[in-house]
Amino acid sequence: MTADDQKRISGEAAAQLVEAGMVVGLGTGSTAAWFVKALAARGLDVRGVPTSEATANLARELGMTLSSLDDVKSIDLTVDGADEIGPGLSLIKGGGAALLREKLVWEASARCVVIADAAKHVKALGAFKLPIEVVRFGHPHTGRRLADIAAEFDLPPPRLRTAERGVVVTDGGNVIYDMASGVIADPAALAGALKSVTGVVDHGLFLDLADEALIGTDDGILRLHP
Ligand code: 5RP
């Protein structure tokens, strides 16, 4: 099975969790896209709350009914991908630069299910660079404060994310700094330190948020709980 096949079966398995009438958080990325497609194919009467413009566009193309987070009181179930799934279903997210809207939607959800291919399941978080969303105003200064925090944790300075067209700007108009690690020994301590910096909007550590993981493997779906 390719990684994409594993993403597809995890997305399809998650789509089976959805019931008619639900408000459903729609994650971002290639795995979440498989979920959105499988959910749309079921033709249920549900309302989707997208976590990015990209996901909103896909869901609209598939004819799904959408609401914004502003317009719903709560979300029954959110399904989203991850860059890494570590011990206790601690996660790194934000590879697709959607971490802020994702975290807002996750935190408004009664149940959060993370879906992924098998390679995302790791013994310790940190091989994937941790994304940190930073407001644009004065971001080089915020970046230097992040470098100080990185040094406290024995990590190299984070780097501003760029792509072919230049600096990557999120749906919220912010920039992303990626913090290289290797192993994040104490994710909760790092999360707290990052949130203490003015200018940091949020970071890609999703701790104590996932209720269940559905991981696509060559042997089928591996279900994990915290
Ligand atoms: C976007 C995310 C994605 O869920 C994460 O990057 C995984 O993406 P993919 O399913 O394409 O591997 O956090 O901000």
Side-chain angles (χ1 to χ4, degrees):
M1 238 187 215
T2 65
D4 203 45
D5 286 331
Q6 294 178 344
K7 291 178 183 195
R8 177 178 48 76
I9 62 169
S10 65
E12 288 170 353
Q16 294 305 315
L17 303 175
V18 179
E19 292 168 18
M22 279 186 170
V23 177
V24 185
L26 308 175
T28 293
S30 55
T31 320
W34 281 118
F35 165 71
V36 173
K37 287 177 198 160
L39 178 57
R42 289 192 64 199
L44 294 173
D45 178 18
V46 294
R47 260 190 305 158
V49 178
T51 53
S52 63
E53 298 302 325
T55 296
N57 290 338
L58 172 65
R60 263 187 227 109
E61 278 168 25
L62 295 167
M64 292 186 68
T65 305
L66 297 182
S67 289
S68 88
L69 185 54
D70 301 5
D71 298 330
V72 297
K73 278 203 180 119
S74 61
I75 297 172
D76 297 297
L77 167 70
T78 284
V79 177
D80 198 354
D83 299 299
E84 284 187 342
I85 302 175
L89 300 192
S90 56
L91 309 176
I92 288 183
K93 285 187 49 58
L99 68 95
L100 177 60
R101 291 192 186 184
E102 289 171 338
K103 203 177 269 189
L104 286 165
V105 169
W106 279 56
E107 288 184 354
S109 302
R111 182 181 177 199
C112 296
V113 174
V114 59
I115 52 175
D117 57 288
K120 305 280 183 62
H121 187 205
V122 296
K123 288 204 171 77
L125 297 179
F128 191 90
K129 288 180 187 150
L130 175 65
I132 304 161
E133 186 156 346
V134 170
V135 293
R136 257 195 284 187
F137 181 80
H139 74 80
H141 294 272
T142 309
R144 283 194 280 278
R145 292 194 63 197
L146 291 177
D148 291 342
I149 290 178
E152 283 169 29
F153 284 79
D154 287 326
L155 305 175
R159 301 180 77 138
L160 181 63
R161 191 183 296 184
T162 57
E164 277 171 23
R165 287 192 201 157
V167 174
V168 171
V169 176
T170 68
D171 286 347
N174 304 309
V175 297
I176 298 277
Y177 279 78
D178 290 301
M179 186 178 263
S181 163
V183 172
I184 300 176
D186 189 343
L190 181 59
L194 294 174
K195 279 291 264 190
S196 74
V197 177
T198 305
V200 168
V201 186
D202 220 309
H203 52 74
L205 284 167
F206 282 46
L207 307 177
D208 301 319
L209 284 175
D211 296 296
E212 187 175 4
L214 300 180
I215 299 175
T217 76
D218 289 351
D219 300 321
I221 297 295
L222 173 65
R223 282 177 181 261
L224 297 175
H225 295 91

